[in-house]
Amino acid sequence: MPEGTDDRPADMTGPEERLWDAYPTGTRVDLGDDVPSEATPERTVRAEVIAQLLLGRCEQRAGFVPAVRLRGAYISGELNVTGGSVGCELRLELCRLAERPTFANAESRQIRIADCRLPGFDGGGLRADGYLSLSGSVIEGEVRLPRAQLMGGLRMNGTKVTESDPEKWALFTGGMVVEVGAFFRKAELTGGVRLVGARMNGGLFFEGTTLRNPGRLALDAQNMVVEDAAEFSHGFTAEGTVRLRGVRVNGTLSFDQAILRSSPGRGAVHASHAQIDELIFTPAEPVVGWVSLSYSRIRLILDQPATWPDVLQLNGLTYDTLRGGEPKSRLGWVRRDEVFHPQVYEQLATWFRGSGLDDLARKVQLAKLRARRRTLPWTGRAWNHLLDWTVGYGYRPWLAAMWLSLLVAVGTTVFSAQRPRPLKPPDERPELHAFIFTLDLLIPIGTFGQRDMWQPVGWTQWLAYALIAAGWILATALIAGATRVLRPN
């Protein structure tokens, strides 16, 4: 008789005896090649037996590594090792668990529950030296991992989790620490994922995964820290809001070829107050819902502005480099912020100047003033429209020169046809030149002496007054424009 078999529980069935005898050697017990649909004597194992093996009731055999490896079993009862120390590997494949397994506050090695069906998983406070794998399993209930510490990583590749209770989450964590990496590739999680305060020291990978929680949070990962990469890419789909407020990604945060759909008026991606080395935002289709990057610090943003939503929140966002699309398209990018914030335009203008694109920087400053105009009362808007049409707020000095040339042409034509009357005798006044007289009216400082020697008559007096007023406005705008162009950045 193998070591440890004399301490086995009473009333043990055939499959349980096989498992008990196999434990000291780590041999796998194979009861079938599919997930059982119901309990049958030849495939049923009590969860109590597995728990006792995990907690070391059966003595180990020298020269072997003990483990619980079971395939194709129906596990009745609750597998509960709460607060216990599990010194061996647990591997369940193609098994059906009647009740939610509980590893709360336990210490364990490697746990693999792959391609199984179970009504949830409770690993709150679990400390695992190896990895926790639920890959390929169908879970009809909440997976709980608050405060869990998984030194070998977390694997939920191909896992399908469904939680229908709106008060719960498909995956609930808080303060979880995962070394090596957290992998959710090609998974399907309905009911929302909560990773608040998690630390992913080996990266976070959601490629090809679908998160469903329409009208609510598809992912809540506030204050999460990720090393290396956070991949929500290559077919990642979120039906609901992805909240990444306050995250820190020491690497790349990628939404390349992702699909982001939220309800009308709700956020698709909320990534304000974040610190990110590189943001790749190139979804497979236009985003449904607003995107917020407010008060975030991002070193490099790679995107395609055409895929951004109609509404962006960019106030307080700072960045070092922008890539993707034509630089001039960035004007349309900042205009998508519904509320006017000067900082959004100033940041873009600063980046343009730092990139040697001074002309685009001036266009951004002009766009800022035009956007600001919408916030003014009607009197301010009217005056600002006049400044825009006539001198481009001083950022288009050539427009002021054009108006000046037009006024000179009008004045020259009018005063040539209807000559002003002289104010002094012929020997004390210069000869009238309509062109010079018009210039003298337009230039605020009487340079040519014509204005004091000739007096417009009739309706041309009003034209002269208009030319004097226009001259002051245009000259001021030209000086301001030249100062902006010539002054150092």
Side-chain angles (χ1 to χ4, degrees), residues 3 8 59 65 79 99 102 137 155 177 186 243 264 273 296 307 339 341 391 395 446 455:
E3 283 185 38
R8 69 184 67 209
E59 294 183 6
V65 177
L79 176 56
E99 298 183 30
T102 301
S137 292
R155 303 177 186 178
V177 178
K186 296 183 179 179
R243 183 157 68 183
H273 302 82
S296 291
T307 62
V339 180
H341 298 288
V391 296
Y395 286 100
Q455 174 68 47

Side-chain angles (χ1 to χ4, degrees), residues 262-300:
S262 187
S263 303
R266 293 183 61 91
V269 178
H270 184 184
S272 66
H273 302 82
Q275 296 184 52
I276 303 168
D277 286 349
E278 179 182 18
L279 171 63
I280 299 176
F281 201 95
T282 52
E285 60 184 42
V287 177
V288 179
W290 49 260
V291 172
S292 174
L293 297 176
S294 298
Y295 304 103
S296 291
R297 177 73 178 90
I298 304 175
R299 292 184 179 180
L300 185 150

Side-chain angles (χ1 to χ4, degrees), residues 1 4 29 95 139 160 189 219 249-250 257 316 329 410 433:
M1 179 180 294
V29 176
C95 294
I139 304 174
K160 182 176 180 180
L189 297 98
L219 172 65
V249 180
N250 298 319
Q257 299 304 303
S329 67
V410 170
H433 293 280

Side-chain angles (χ1 to χ4, degrees), residues 402-478:
M402 183 190 73
W403 282 106
L404 189 62
S405 300
L406 178 61
L407 292 174
V408 168
V410 170
T412 300
T413 301
V414 170
F415 294 126
S416 295
Q418 190 164 349
R419 294 170 62 83
R421 64 181 179 84
L423 296 176
K424 294 194 176 185
D427 57 344
E428 296 181 11
R429 69 173 186 266
E431 184 179 351
L432 176 68
H433 293 280
F435 174 74
I436 301 298
F437 180 72
T438 302
L439 281 179
D440 219 4
L441 292 174
L442 284 168
I443 296 175
I445 301 174
T447 304
F448 303 106
Q450 294 269 322
R451 185 192 305 182
D452 298 330
M453 300 298 174
W454 300 90
Q455 174 68 47
V457 295
W459 66 272
T460 62
Q461 291 185 11
W462 294 104
L463 174 61
Y465 298 151
L467 290 174
I468 293 171
W472 278 102
I473 295 173
L474 293 174
T476 302
L478 282 171

Side-chain angles (χ1 to χ4, degrees), residues 6-20:
D6 56 342
D7 197 27
R8 69 184 67 209
D11 302 325
M12 187 174 289
T13 61
E16 293 173 351
E17 288 180 324
R18 290 176 56 190
L19 180 62
W20 194 271

Side-chain angles (χ1 to χ4, degrees), residues 44-111:
T44 299
V45 176
R46 287 175 294 168
E48 176 189 1
V49 173
I50 298 176
Q52 290 183 12
L53 289 173
L54 292 176
L55 296 175
R57 178 172 175 179
C58 181
E59 294 183 6
Q60 300 183 14
R61 178 177 295 183
F64 293 89
V65 177
V68 175
R69 297 189 175 103
L70 185 61
R71 177 183 174 90
Y74 184 98
I75 301 174
S76 63
E78 181 186 6
L79 176 56
N80 191 334
V81 294
T82 298
S85 179
V86 179
C88 65
E89 174 190 6
L90 170 65
R91 176 173 295 196
L92 304 178
E93 299 176 352
L94 296 173
C95 294
R96 178 182 291 272
L97 288 81
E99 298 183 30
R100 180 181 71 175
T102 301
F103 287 77
N105 301 311
E107 295 182 358
S108 75
R109 298 181 66 185
Q110 187 164 288
I111 301 173

